[in-house]
Amino acid sequence: MPAYRLTANCIWNSFQSSNKKHLIITGTRNTGKTTLLQKLFPDKIPGIKTWAQPKSAVYIMDNLTGEKTQIGFYDDALPGTENKMRPLLSGFDVQGVSILDSCAHNDSEWISIDEIGYLETNSKDYCNAILNLMKHKRVAAVVRKQEFPFLQMLCNCEDVFLIDLDHPFGNMGCVIMASGEGKRFGANKLMVDFNGKPMIQCILEATDRIFSRRVVVTRHKEVQLLCSSLDVEVVLHDLPYRSDTIRLGLDAVGMDTDGCMFCPGDQPLLHWNTVAAQALCAVNSNNTIWRTAFETIQGSPTLFPRCYYFELLQLPVGKGGSIILKKYPHLTNRVLAGSEWELKDIDTPKDMELLLDYSKQNV
């Protein structure tokens, strides 16, 4: 993710929206797992910190007492270039288990474990202590991305919200709806200047580097030319209905995506963090519809998982995804935007004036 980096606020927003119990961060080396955990929990909370002295030893430390215990030692005779530490089971089975057991009886809602890796999987007692802790507390943990059954089981638990820093957004698609004729605005509003750029470009930036495939569906040649110059895929059409735009966009994104966001092209204050939080939620739930909201106001964009693709392709003529939202209110959840202004679209010149004034006052 070279252009953007997930922020603690974005992750916390998506986690709270998910209603999951635990938070696990995983990824390969040097992806910022520990740094992100520290930003999520800047104040010291009970738990365990693990660190290694290269080519020497591995230790765990009690977050609250500072007491440290050796849990591994370097063995150059081990094959390969990584995982050349051997476990010291006494460190896990005695001090490690003791720390986790004390955490289970601490008053803190959250417990932090940084990190859980292949050494830990050698101690059955330590692994069981982690599982017991998860029954009593909310656990925020860094888990190394390795093919060990215990580590994979932790990441795949039903009540875990998983952030994979290598592929945080999974295989999601995005359709940017840019087919409105702008009758109330009196012109092609999508190309009108908004703080120095065409308005449609604001949405392109808000959805950048999140989706496996993103397509703009439009009837406007000017929008097509702009998107093409920015290397954004475009479907140009002259069909009349909103249902046409949805069908064309979904066909272009592809039925092999795990979910698809439908994003209006005329919400210039929509923030990248809000879109990213919505995608993170979708990765962690394969049957929930996610829509953006602020307080009691619900709005767009909306992200549908793949199980709704057939119904989206079969929408009645002229209708949009709101039919599906009304049909499945119990399967629809909300991701909170940073402000109500993110949800506001532009239909008239007066709307444009209001949003521009707000944006200039809140730079």
Side-chain angles (χ1 to χ4, degrees):
M1 233 176 31
Y4 299 96
R5 185 167 294 276
L6 284 172
T7 65
N9 285 340
C10 174
I11 290 178
W12 195 249
N13 180 15
S14 57
F15 170 75
Q16 289 185 308
S17 300
S18 74
N19 295 316
K20 300 275 188 174
K21 183 179 180 181
H22 308 293
L23 176 63
I24 285 181
I25 303 170
T26 191
T28 49
R29 292 178 181 271
N30 301 316
T31 50
K33 302 183 293 296
T34 293
T35 299
L36 189 52
L37 184 66
Q38 292 170 346
K39 289 181 178 179
L40 286 163
F41 297 91
D43 298 324
K44 188 175 291 185
I45 60 174
I48 288 179
K49 170 73 175 177
T50 305
W51 82 97
Q53 292 182 349
K55 296 187 176 182
S56 176
V58 184
Y59 300 89
I60 56 174
M61 183 180 72
D62 186 318
N63 285 352
L64 297 185
T65 68
E67 179 182 359
K68 70 176 184 178
T69 302
Q70 186 175 352
I71 57 167
F73 63 93
Y74 183 75
D75 184 352
D76 192 45
L78 289 172
T81 58
E82 296 184 354
N83 300 343
K84 296 177 78 69
M85 295 286 185
R86 288 192 182 275
L88 283 175
L89 292 182
S90 60
F92 286 118
D93 295 345
V94 180
Q95 288 90 343
V97 170
S98 176
I99 295 171
L100 292 177
D101 286 346
S102 67
C103 287
H105 295 92
N106 193 283
D107 291 337
S108 175
E109 178 184 8
W110 282 94
I111 305 298
S112 170
I113 305 178
D114 180 17
E115 64 180 0
I116 306 171
Y118 75 97
L119 285 178
E120 286 78 357
T121 65
N122 288 275
S123 170
K124 183 178 179 180
D125 289 346
Y126 190 79
C127 291
N128 286 336
I130 292 174
L131 297 177
N132 180 65
L133 181 64
M134 294 174 72
K135 294 177 182 178
H136 295 89
K137 296 291 183 178
R138 309 188 84 165
V139 173
V142 168
V143 174
R144 293 187 69 178
K145 184 181 282 187
Q146 296 175 313
E147 294 185 1
F148 290 86
F150 180 72
L151 304 183
Q152 294 180 335
M153 182 270 290
L154 287 178
C155 291
N156 293 324
C157 282
E158 181 65 27
D159 55 358
V160 161
F161 190 85
L162 182 68
I163 304 293
D164 182 346
L165 292 181
D166 296 315
H167 304 286
F169 307 116
N171 181 29
M172 297 292 160
C174 177
V175 175
I176 297 175
M177 315 274 284
S179 295
E181 297 184 41
K183 292 180 179 179
R184 283 184 286 173
F185 193 85
N188 179 6
K189 59 185 177 181
L190 298 174
M191 295 300 296
V192 172
D193 181 89
F194 192 92
N195 287 333
K197 67 187 75 171
M199 184 167 65
I200 184 68
Q201 191 170 335
C202 298
I203 295 299
L204 298 180
E205 292 173 0
T207 56
D208 191 26
R209 298 186 184 273
I210 295 175
F211 302 97
S212 300
R213 192 167 183 187
R214 179 178 58 152
V215 61
V216 176
V217 182
T218 186
R219 66 177 70 254
H220 304 290
K221 187 68 174 178
E222 311 96 304
V223 172
Q224 180 196 33
L225 293 173
L226 172 67
C227 292
S228 296
S229 72
L230 298 173
D231 200 27
V232 177
E233 187 176 352
V234 183
V235 172
L236 185 67
H237 71 101
D238 59 0
L239 300 177
Y241 299 116
R242 187 175 185 83
S243 53
D244 296 321
T245 300
I246 292 172
R247 175 174 49 79
L248 291 169
L250 194 53
D251 281 341
V253 164
M255 303 298 287
D256 58 340
T257 50
D258 294 328
C260 185
M261 174 178 284
F262 293 87
C263 186
D266 58 357
Q267 284 181 218
L269 297 183
L270 183 66
H271 199 280
W272 187 90
N273 278 337
T274 302
V275 177
Q278 213 165 338
L280 290 174
C281 284
V283 169
N284 279 274
S285 176
N286 59 11
N287 65 353
T288 302
I289 301 169
W290 296 94
R291 63 182 311 186
T292 313
F294 183 78
E295 295 181 348
T296 60
I297 304 169
Q298 299 195 84
S300 295
T302 301
L303 199 158
F304 293 92
R306 180 166 50 191
C307 57
Y308 297 97
Y309 282 6
F310 179 78
E311 290 185 70
L312 288 166
L313 292 173
Q314 300 296 321
L315 288 171
V317 173
K319 300 298 182 180
S322 60
I323 289 180
I324 298 176
L325 296 177
K326 292 175 181 177
K327 183 177 179 181
Y328 302 107
H330 58 295
L331 295 175
T332 303
N333 208 347
R334 311 186 314 156
V335 175
L336 295 182
S339 77
E340 63 179 310
W341 292 90
E342 288 192 57
L343 308 184
K344 293 185 179 294
D345 58 2
I346 292 177
D347 290 324
T348 67
K350 181 64 175 178
D351 295 335
M352 173 73 80
E353 182 181 341
L354 289 173
L355 267 65
L356 278 172
D357 286 347
Y358 174 83
S359 66
K360 290 173 183 177
Q361 295 170 16
N362 294 270
V363 175

